[in-house]
């Protein structure tokens, strides 16, 4: 380790088309907690072009915001963004760097960690400070999700982690928090611009990601087939909800992989989670137990899902869901 003093927590703020991603606000919530435990400052670093409303990052817990803004950062390009983030880290010398485990985060984090010669713990689901030596405790599923491993980085600084979207709680927004914004410049030359974005093709499907949905109607093996799943989709449409599922349903090809809830899928925290025909295996519960209100429909009254449900309906889902749909339509 070099002799530079590393201090503070830094969160990389991911923006897409200038829109700050939820995972970054969640990381500010966790970053605030870690910074308070260490009695250090929390910084938010954002890179882009035409970035607006960065003071919101102070409202969500950051003490200061570092902005790298240039037309050259209009699109995410691995090399330019990795260079900019490396430059910020080398200037600020934080002791902890947190990045969302999104497709962008998973791309940039290892490149930055290699450039600054430190380790990286990917895909964490929990972070804490070791009270004995103030090291960061980074916990993530290992061996295919069969165990949870806690990893520390005692030698190198900063300690770097990517964190799964949906697992950390946002800081309660406070608009009275002072805005401290500083601009950081990075020299991007021709060698860095070896990728040219010709066109951005957006997914036609306007589905909201299941991590951002307020209501989720989730189906398990008990749903049985595509026809029954379309009844779940009808309920979801009426409730302005999204459809998700257990791994059993994804493995059967009834839903896309990005709709899977659980340890090897996504962690969700909606206001309401309908678990329809889902038994409640530990790997599924790990991804949804923090939902505000859980409604379980299962014909087996012994199903483990009822242990985490706020409301349990012991019945055939093919009877309950059409009744619910009728009831909603009649109002
Ligand atoms: P089942 O366990 O088969 O349950 C179906 C339920 O439907 C039963 O309780 C049954 O009573 C009920 N039912 C049947 N018919 C009806 C009906 N007509 N009306 C009402 N109820 C009905 N699973 C995940 O979900 N997400 C993960 O990320 C995940 N990761 C995993 C990682 C590892 C390493 C391993 C080993 C497993 C993982 N699993 C995951 C799989 C998990 O262990 C379970 O096998 C899976 O969650 C079961 O899905 P299910 O509840 O839909 O199906």
């Amino acid at each position: 380790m070099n002799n530079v003093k590393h201090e503070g927590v830094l969160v990389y703020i991911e923006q897409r088309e200038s829109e700050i991603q939820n995972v970054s606000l969640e990381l500010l919530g966790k970053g605030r907690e870690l910074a308070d435990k260490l009695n250090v400052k929390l910084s938010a670093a954002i890179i882009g072009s035409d970035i607006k409303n960065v003071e919101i990052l102070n409202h969500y817990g950051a003490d200061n915001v570092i902005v790298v803004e240039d037309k050259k950062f209009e699109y995410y390009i691995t090399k330019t963004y990795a260079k900019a983030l490396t430059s910020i880290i080398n200037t600020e010398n934080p002791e902890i760097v947190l990045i969302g485990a999104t497709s962008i985060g998973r791309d940039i984090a290892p490149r930055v960690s290699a450039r600054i010669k430190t380790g990286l713990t990917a895909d964490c689901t929990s972070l804490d400070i070791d009270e004995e030596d103030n090291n960061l405790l980074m916990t993530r599923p290992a061996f295919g999700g069969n165990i949870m491993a806690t990893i520390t980085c005692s030698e190198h600084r900063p300690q770097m982690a990517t964190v799964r979207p949906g697992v950390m709680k946002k800081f309660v927004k406070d608009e009275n928090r002072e805005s401290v914004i500083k601009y950081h410049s990075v020299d991007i030359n021709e060698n860095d611009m070896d990728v040219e974005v010709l066109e951005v093709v957006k997914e036609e499907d306007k589905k909201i990601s299941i991590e951002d949905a307020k209501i989720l109607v989730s189906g398990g093996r008990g749903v049985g087939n595509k026809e029954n799943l379309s009844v779940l989709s009808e309920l979801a449409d009426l409730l302005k909800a999204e459809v998700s599922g257990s791994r059993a349903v994804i493995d059967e090809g009834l839903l896309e992989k990005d709709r899977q809830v659980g340890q090897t899928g996504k962690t969700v925290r909606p206001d309401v989670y309908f678990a329809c025909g889902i038994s409640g295996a530990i790997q599924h519960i790990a991804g949804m137990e923090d939902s505000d209100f859980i409604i379980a429909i299962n014909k087996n009254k012994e199903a483990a899902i009822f242990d985490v449900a706020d409301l349990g309906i012991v019945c055939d889902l093919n009877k309950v869901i059409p009744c619910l749909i009728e009831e909603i339509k009649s109002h």
Side-chain angles (χ1 to χ4, degrees):
M1 189 165 71
N2 58 31
N3 291 325
V4 176
K5 185 173 183 327
H6 289 264
E7 192 176 274
V9 179
L10 185 136
V11 173
Y12 170 63
I13 304 298
E14 185 176 322
Q15 56 79 21
R16 294 187 186 206
E17 294 182 340
S18 298
E19 200 176 312
I20 291 165
Q21 301 297 294
N22 253 328
V23 63
S24 304
L25 300 181
E26 291 162 13
L27 284 189
L28 283 180
K30 181 43 100 175
R32 182 71 269 157
E33 187 192 310
L34 299 175
D36 288 344
K37 280 191 180 172
L38 293 167
N39 202 16
V40 294
K41 290 220 183 295
L42 171 65
S43 305
I46 185 161
I47 303 163
S49 142
D50 195 22
I51 305 170
K52 296 187 186 79
N53 303 329
V54 284
E55 61 284 355
I56 197 173
L57 300 171
N58 290 117
H59 301 161
Y60 275 101
D63 295 307
N64 53 63
V65 181
I66 302 147
V67 181
V68 175
E69 192 167 29
D70 195 302
K71 190 79 185 128
K72 289 177 178 145
F73 296 111
E74 184 177 359
Y75 300 112
Y76 175 79
I77 295 174
T78 306
K79 228 172 164 181
T80 54
Y81 271 63
K83 186 173 186 181
L85 185 55
T86 304
S87 166
I88 295 171
I89 293 171
N90 283 337
T91 309
E92 298 293 319
N93 293 311
E95 61 194 299
I96 294 174
V97 175
L98 305 179
I99 299 176
T102 59
S103 51
I104 287 182
R106 286 180 171 144
D107 183 57
I108 196 172
R111 290 163 205 272
V112 172
S113 75
R115 284 170 190 228
I116 59 176
K117 297 190 171 50
T118 191
L120 170 70
T121 306
D123 226 11
C124 295
T125 52
S126 150
L127 297 171
D128 206 349
I129 300 294
D130 187 334
E131 284 176 11
E132 276 182 19
D133 53 16
N134 277 348
N135 277 335
L136 183 64
L137 300 170
M138 301 171 274
T139 303
R140 52 153 295 156
F143 293 106
N146 287 306
I147 61 160
M148 298 303 281
T150 297
I151 296 161
T152 58
C153 174
S154 52
E155 290 291 318
H156 296 88
R157 289 294 179 269
Q159 303 155 96
M160 269 184 84
T162 61
V163 180
R164 271 186 173 210
V167 292
M168 303 299 176
K169 276 199 174 140
K170 285 183 200 163
F171 180 82
V172 178
K173 192 177 175 193
D174 177 0
E175 294 187 4
N176 295 320
R177 284 177 63 86
E178 195 192 349
S179 291
V180 182
I181 297 161
K182 47 182 181 174
Y183 287 84
H184 181 95
S185 75
V186 181
D187 177 31
I188 298 294
N189 55 47
E190 271 184 18
N191 289 337
D192 302 316
M193 301 291 287
D194 55 2
V195 172
E196 190 187 351
V197 179
L198 299 177
E199 191 188 359
V200 176
V201 182
K202 292 198 180 156
E203 264 184 300
E204 270 178 37
D205 198 342
K206 292 271 188 326
K207 279 187 302 188
I208 297 172
S209 96
I210 62 171
E211 293 128 303
D212 294 332
K214 295 253 179 273
I215 305 176
L216 280 175
V217 177
S218 210
R221 189 177 275 126
V223 169
N225 54 44
K226 238 187 163 70
E227 287 70 47
N228 294 343
L229 193 71
S230 68
V231 182
L232 256 63
S233 300
E234 191 181 350
L235 175 65
D237 286 346
L238 287 168
L239 295 170
K240 296 195 170 39
E242 291 297 316
V243 177
S244 55
S246 70
R247 188 161 112 178
V249 162
I250 276 72
D251 287 349
E252 280 169 29
L254 294 176
L255 281 174
E256 298 290 317
K257 172 77 183 148
D258 69 347
R259 302 271 117 184
Q260 182 183 323
V261 172
Q263 203 168 297
T264 42
K266 291 185 173 169
T267 305
V268 296
R269 198 191 289 256
D271 296 343
V272 185
Y273 186 87
F274 285 85
C276 313
I278 295 177
S279 59
I282 185 90
Q283 295 90 352
H284 185 80
I285 287 180
M288 47 64 79
E289 63 189 334
D290 286 334
S291 304
D292 280 352
F293 198 84
I294 299 169
I295 301 170
I297 305 167
N298 196 303
K299 63 182 184 185
N300 173 11
K301 69 176 173 27
E302 306 293 337
I305 194 74
F306 290 126
D307 296 343
V308 294
D310 297 283
L311 177 68
I313 303 170
V314 182
C315 192
D316 185 334
L317 65 92
N318 298 311
K319 290 185 183 147
V320 178
I321 296 189
C323 287
L324 261 173
I325 291 173
E326 281 314 306
E327 190 60 27
I328 296 167
K329 279 184 176 167
S330 69
H331 282 88

